[in-house]
Amino acid sequence: MQKNLVIVESPAKAKTIEKFLGKDYHVMSSYGHIRDLKTKEYSIDIEHNYTPEYVIPADKRKLVSELKKAAHDSENVLLASDEDREGEAIAWHLSEVLGLNQDKTKRIVFHEITKNAILHALENPRHINIDLVNAQQARRVLDRIVGFEVSPILWRKIKPALSAGRVQSVAVRLIVDREREVNAFISEPSFRVTATFLLSDGTTLLKAELNRRLKDIQEVNEFLQSCISAEFVIDDISTKPVKKSPYPPFTTSTMQQEAARKLGFSVTQTMVIAQRLYESGLITYMRTDSVNLSDLALHASHNAILNAYGEKYYQFRKFHTKSKGAQEAHEAIRPTDMNIPEISGNTQDKKLYELIYKRTIACQMADAELERTTISIGIGKRKEKFVAVGEVLKFDGFLHVYMETPDEDNEKEQTNGILPPVKQNEALKLKEMIAAERFTQRPPRYTEASLVRRLEELGIGRPSTYAPIIQTIQNRGYVVHGDKPGEERKYAIVTLKNDKITTSEKKETIGLDRGKLLPTDTGIIVNDFLMEYFPDILDYNFTANVEKEFDAIAEGQLVWTSALDKFYKFFHPIVEATSAVKTERKIGERLLGTDPVSGEPVYVKIGRYGPIAQLGNPSLDDKKDKKPRFASLGKGQSIETITLEEAMKLFDLPRTVGEFEGNEMIATIGRFGPYIRHDGKFTSIPKSLNPLTITEEEAIQLIEAKRNKEKQRFIKKFDEEPELEVLNGLYGAYIAYKGKNYRLPKGSNPAQLTLEECKKIIAESNEKPAKKRPPMGRKKA
């Protein structure tokens, strides 16, 4: 009989922990949760106090048997899953399913996988915290209730296969609301006036900006005209010291935001990499809303700063967490060893680790010291002033190591750097004055990073849920990562030089967005439906209050089933009332007008495969075979904004583009976008071309390009086995046979393979056991 069995939820974590423990310990992985609610059933017994009906998935049954046997053969069982609510629930499920003897079962927790942390956890075991488990169960059950009760209504009212989620729907609302703000925004023009002056030495230049904006071209001309004869004198010089302090060490959300801004990582990508670093023992637990650092980390940071930069760069700081969330680990994300500024591994791991290391070091470093000089320049007898602001870095402090990247919606104050030496009452000569027309900026669309920040500000979600929220709304097709083309705008430039005023016009591109979170038509319609019939579910305060109730459950201050009962009695009647509502037309359908030729109505709505335009209504007379016509909306078109004229052009498809090799080329739009149909084959039309305007020559080029690509893809086939082919793929040559692909052994010459050799490769590949890929994140129970 083995002495101690340690169960963790990840094989990578098991491998790291095993290095620190002796022969008396055997470490196994549960690969996340070993049981869950039934996938396609409600699985909540409402009448019996909201009891969840858990099942062991088929792919976990063998593992459960192995864990049961190992637990039975061990003197002690140590449950070492993560220390948040999800980890506590995993430990509880293991205890329940494996039938563990509570006298020989202990729960151990640690927020970093280091030898000291593991040994300390072994010396301080505890029992499973049922309050944390119940908080996790409450979240899981409540989300299941919302999803399973609202989703069927969406299927009937909008289209099949849609789903609703309590927190995800709120995130979609944020993105839809922001998109509408952007579309409704009307920019207002004004003029920013800057001037370049010559100092009394006749060569040194000083740039300054007028301390107010001018409203229109008339006011600009009047102001510039008054400046032709005006005297410009320095009437005030002020210099003051400025200090900049470092930000706290990373929480989950701030790490996700900075990794997005500095490294270009998605939120999910950041969490996958961070989990890998944590399970390798390189950083502390990555799901946390705490900015606290342990005394050990503070001491190690102190030594690292002294050794690398010297005493003057060190300043002790103790950060305190503002948010209240009992579920999370009680320390910020930091390296486990502050003497390791760089790690080996892949590029992404190195980059994120370096970011975490620098942020941790910087938070214990001295303030950056700057000197800010402001020069005020009088304009004759006018009240306005020209102002020049310069900033000089006197001591870089923490900036020597780390500088946070600002968001695009946080405008950075513009300064001139070092200003030239000037004197009070010094007369200046105007060299040039420029009034440039500027416009108020629309609110920025959300990125993953800014959405996480907004969710955190509203108190919606927790560190462990931000990444799943963003992933889920994209998987459901409610939101996409997308680009928005800019549009050209003209703006005026009025210049005063050599006592002459001239006006010119320039052009700029505005509204260009790349990689932003954009709502789809489906997302907008689902959001509008939920806002109309379930406004409380999408209310920001309501959702934040639910999170607070989960926190109260975790702290033992609220009974989880009581919280669920209160919610259900409020929520279920709304579901029944909404389900009974009958609507004349499909939810989200929009009448654009009538066809000028036929007089038939033109609608846009969500179809089975996405947004479509509909011309006409089905005939109510069985004797008349009258059917409406349908056309898919094009790329960049939306149900909300498409016009009648734009919709009517869609019915020009399918259109005959021309002939090629005796067969017609037809341009049309299908489920997966626009394409050319020719000789029974289909060729996609790229984004750069429009199916309504594509020419015969362009269509032929696309068809021939596809043929050439297919020729290059084909390497070899065998007459006696027509289903077997040797092909070129993205990652090299492979064998395709009966719907399956087989990788070639290293050193193979694809063009010289015989049929017998191909069959041997297939047979050997089929004999190999399938590799089980461990989950990178944990499955939510």
Side-chain angles (χ1 to χ4, degrees):
M1 178 178 278
Q2 64 189 24
K3 196 167 184 182
N4 300 294
L5 172 66
V6 180
I7 304 177
V8 297
E9 69 273 70
S10 151
K13 185 175 174 181
K15 188 178 177 182
T16 307
I17 289 173
E18 212 158 26
K19 293 188 297 185
F20 305 130
L21 301 175
K23 58 180 176 18
D24 289 338
Y25 292 87
H26 176 51
V27 186
M28 294 182 71
S29 169
S30 69
Y31 290 86
H33 282 279
I34 59 168
R35 69 175 181 177
D36 195 0
L37 298 174
K38 296 174 185 176
T39 307
K40 296 182 179 179
E41 294 181 30
Y42 200 68
S43 289
I44 311 295
D45 191 343
I46 301 293
E47 294 179 3
H48 292 86
N49 213 20
Y50 305 92
T51 304
E53 297 169 0
Y54 294 115
V55 294
I56 301 168
D59 63 343
K60 288 290 180 82
R61 287 171 192 160
K62 183 183 176 185
L63 174 65
V64 168
S65 297
E66 292 169 356
L67 290 169
K68 271 185 179 178
K69 186 178 184 307
H72 181 267
D73 294 343
S74 302
E75 291 181 20
N76 299 296
V77 178
L78 300 163
L79 302 174
S81 48
D82 291 338
E83 63 175 324
D84 59 7
R85 295 176 196 171
E86 201 72 37
E88 206 71 20
I90 289 173
W92 178 74
H93 283 295
L94 284 166
S95 177
E96 293 282 305
V97 173
L98 303 183
L100 299 180
N101 183 337
Q102 296 307 306
D103 292 333
K104 69 169 194 174
T105 303
K106 293 289 186 290
R107 173 87 168 103
I108 60 169
V109 294
F110 37 85
H111 63 268
E112 61 183 64
I113 305 175
T114 59
K115 187 170 184 177
N116 287 339
I118 302 300
L119 295 178
H120 182 265
L122 290 172
E123 290 168 4
N124 297 275
R126 62 170 173 80
H127 293 292
I128 291 170
N129 185 332
I130 200 64
D131 292 328
L132 293 180
V133 174
N134 288 338
Q136 189 274 347
Q137 286 197 105
R139 178 189 291 278
R140 186 76 172 105
V141 170
L142 192 146
D143 287 349
R144 173 58 66 98
I145 289 171
V146 172
F148 266 67
E149 297 223 348
V150 176
S151 297
I153 298 175
L154 299 180
W155 305 341
R156 292 195 301 273
K157 305 286 187 185
I158 302 175
K159 76 166 190 172
L162 295 178
S163 59
R166 181 182 57 85
V167 180
Q168 293 91 334
S169 297
V170 176
V172 173
R173 179 191 168 187
L174 282 168
I175 294 165
V176 170
D177 286 353
R178 178 57 58 88
E179 188 66 20
R180 284 177 171 155
E181 285 179 53
V182 170
N183 291 334
F185 184 78
I186 299 171
S187 62
E188 296 181 0
S190 62
F191 284 81
R192 174 176 177 256
V193 185
T194 57
T196 305
F197 298 98
L198 277 170
L199 269 58
S200 54
D201 62 6
T203 56
T204 305
L205 299 176
L206 174 64
K207 292 183 178 181
E209 181 177 340
L210 192 66
N211 61 358
R212 76 176 182 93
R213 296 284 176 108
L214 306 181
K215 64 181 180 180
D216 53 35
I217 197 84
Q218 182 181 343
E219 189 176 15
V220 167
N221 282 318
E222 287 173 0
F223 176 77
L224 265 59
Q225 189 68 42
S226 70
C227 288
I228 292 175
S229 57
E231 293 181 353
F232 299 95
V233 177
I234 292 175
D235 56 16
D236 187 58
I237 304 168
S238 64
T239 301
K240 63 176 182 179
V242 177
K243 287 189 175 183
K244 286 186 179 178
S245 299
Y247 289 92
F250 280 137
T251 62
T252 301
S253 67
T254 54
M255 177 182 69
Q256 289 168 342
Q257 292 167 49
E258 271 292 85
R261 292 188 291 246
K262 277 189 176 343
L263 307 177
F265 291 170
S266 71
V267 167
T268 301
Q269 186 181 11
T270 298
M271 293 310 292
V272 168
I273 298 166
Q275 182 158 329
R276 199 157 55 226
L277 293 173
Y278 166 68
E279 291 177 344
S280 300
L282 294 168
I283 64 169
T284 53
Y285 192 52
M286 66 285 166
R287 296 184 185 96
T288 176
D289 52 9
S290 172
V291 292
N292 179 48
L293 289 176
S294 67
D295 291 339
L296 186 67
L298 292 170
H299 180 70
S301 298
H302 180 203
N303 289 339
I305 293 166
L306 292 186
N307 292 336
Y309 310 110
E311 182 69 47
K312 68 175 182 176
Y313 277 92
Y314 173 70
Q315 183 176 329
F316 174 79
R317 300 175 195 274
K318 193 82 172 172
F319 294 96
H320 297 285
T321 305
K322 293 178 183 176
S323 60
K324 183 183 178 184
Q327 82 202 64
E328 310 304 343
H330 301 298
E331 192 172 3
I333 302 167
R334 60 165 177 83
T336 55
D337 188 344
M338 297 306 298
N339 294 316
I340 304 177
E342 295 177 357
I343 60 166
S344 58
N346 67 49
T347 305
Q348 292 181 337
D349 288 9
K350 287 178 178 178
K351 284 182 176 180
L352 186 61
Y353 179 85
E354 183 184 18
L355 194 69
I356 294 167
Y357 181 88
K358 287 183 174 180
R359 177 80 165 221
T360 307
I361 281 287
C363 83
Q364 294 301 305
M365 292 180 72
D367 291 337
E369 297 174 8
L370 303 97
E371 186 178 79
R372 178 173 291 176
T373 301
T374 304
I375 299 172
S376 175
I377 302 165
I379 313 166
K381 295 180 180 179
R382 294 191 70 98
K383 292 180 181 179
E384 298 95 340
K385 306 280 184 186
F386 276 100
V387 178
V389 179
E391 216 168 60
V392 180
L393 186 65
K394 293 292 188 181
F395 173 61
D396 55 2
F398 76 94
L399 294 177
H400 189 79
V401 172
Y402 187 89
M403 184 179 291
E404 187 170 77
T405 308
D407 278 329
E408 64 175 292
D409 50 347
N410 292 338
E411 285 192 17
K412 196 177 177 183
E413 184 182 355
Q414 299 213 348
T415 60
N416 290 319
I418 300 174
L419 297 175
V422 292
K423 297 175 184 176
Q424 186 87 18
N425 300 320
E426 183 176 350
L428 306 177
K429 182 181 179 183
L430 177 66
K431 187 174 188 294
E432 184 179 51
M433 190 177 295
I434 297 172
E437 190 176 17
R438 296 289 79 199
F439 300 84
T440 49
Q441 298 292 308
R442 59 168 174 75
R445 290 183 170 95
Y446 283 112
T447 60
E448 288 195 3
S450 60
L451 181 62
V452 166
R453 191 181 76 243
R454 185 62 180 141
L455 289 169
E456 189 177 36
E457 287 171 354
L458 293 169
I460 295 168
R462 287 295 181 263
S464 59
T465 64
Y466 297 133
I469 288 168
I470 291 173
Q471 192 63 49
T472 300
I473 61 178
Q474 293 178 75
N475 292 344
R476 288 178 177 170
Y478 296 158
V479 172
V480 294
H481 264 289
D483 303 335
K484 282 285 185 179
E487 56 185 42
E488 199 174 77
R489 177 172 67 189
K490 295 177 181 178
Y491 66 98
I493 298 284
V494 186
T495 305
L496 168 59
K497 192 172 184 179
N498 298 327
D499 293 344
K500 289 184 179 179
I501 299 173
T502 57
T503 303
S504 60
E505 194 174 72
K506 289 189 177 182
K507 295 177 183 178
E508 63 182 350
T509 301
I510 61 157
L512 178 65
D513 271 329
R514 297 196 184 281
K516 297 298 176 70
L517 294 174
L518 308 173
T520 62
D521 280 320
T522 302
I524 291 170
I525 288 170
V526 168
N527 174 76
D528 290 350
F529 176 78
L530 295 176
M531 281 295 294
E532 182 175 354
Y533 294 100
F534 298 93
D536 288 317
I537 301 301
L538 267 68
D539 180 77
Y540 300 138
N541 291 330
F542 175 84
T543 309
N545 287 333
V546 170
E547 294 291 350
K548 289 176 183 175
E549 289 195 349
F550 292 153
D551 292 342
I553 293 166
E555 291 165 8
Q557 298 172 359
L558 183 63
V559 178
W560 74 286
T561 49
S562 299
L564 285 174
D565 189 55
K566 175 185 166 189
F567 172 83
Y568 188 77
K569 285 177 177 173
F570 150 77
F571 172 71
H572 188 66
I574 301 172
V575 171
E576 291 184 321
T578 305
S579 189
V581 170
K582 295 189 184 301
T583 54
E584 188 177 330
R585 304 206 65 87
K586 199 170 183 180
I587 298 293
E589 189 172 276
R590 178 173 163 238
L591 176 65
L592 299 180
T594 56
D595 176 9
V597 178
S598 67
E600 294 280 3
V602 181
Y603 306 94
V604 281
K605 62 183 182 180
I606 292 292
R608 185 174 181 82
Y609 301 116
I612 57 171
Q614 175 182 324
L615 174 58
N617 289 318
S619 175
L620 299 175
D621 187 348
D622 294 338
K623 295 178 181 178
K624 293 180 181 178
D625 187 21
K626 180 190 166 193
K627 294 180 180 178
R629 291 176 62 196
F630 299 96
S632 297
L633 267 60
K635 183 175 174 59
Q637 292 180 322
S638 167
I639 285 175
E640 275 218 323
T641 56
I642 192 171
T643 63
L644 175 64
E645 184 182 2
E646 290 168 339
M648 290 307 302
K649 286 181 181 177
L650 297 173
F651 294 104
D652 292 342
L653 298 176
R655 61 179 273 264
T656 302
V657 178
E659 278 197 8
F660 178 50
E661 297 175 344
N663 292 303
E664 283 188 331
M665 296 181 291
I666 309 294
T668 188
I669 297 178
R671 180 182 174 187
F672 302 108
Y675 64 92
I676 297 289
R677 186 172 70 244
H678 173 259
D679 194 22
K681 295 181 180 178
F682 306 95
T683 303
S684 295
I685 297 174
K687 295 175 185 177
S688 56
L689 297 174
N690 188 325
L692 291 166
T693 57
I694 190 170
T695 65
E696 183 179 75
E697 184 182 351
E698 289 168 337
I700 291 170
Q701 286 176 356
L702 291 178
I703 292 167
E704 289 181 333
K706 184 182 179 184
R707 287 177 180 176
N708 289 333
K709 191 175 180 181
E710 287 177 348
K711 281 180 186 176
Q712 291 170 6
R713 181 170 172 263
F714 178 79
I715 298 174
K716 195 170 189 177
K717 70 183 298 183
F718 304 92
D719 294 336
E720 55 267 55
E721 192 65 75
E723 287 187 88
L724 195 153
E725 293 180 319
V726 183
L727 304 172
N728 251 325
L730 187 63
Y731 302 106
Y734 65 96
I735 296 169
Y737 183 56
K738 292 186 175 180
K740 291 186 177 179
N741 299 332
Y742 301 89
R743 189 180 295 173
L744 300 184
K746 285 183 180 178
S748 300
N749 186 331
Q752 294 180 5
L753 285 172
T754 64
L755 179 59
E756 289 70 27
E757 288 171 331
C758 288
K759 285 186 173 180
K760 184 181 177 184
I761 291 168
I762 292 169
E764 289 174 351
S765 180
N766 287 333
E767 287 171 7
K768 291 178 184 176
K771 287 184 179 178
K772 187 169 184 180
R773 213 174 155 188
M776 291 307 297
R778 293 167 301 167
K779 187 179 177 185
K780 305 296 176 198

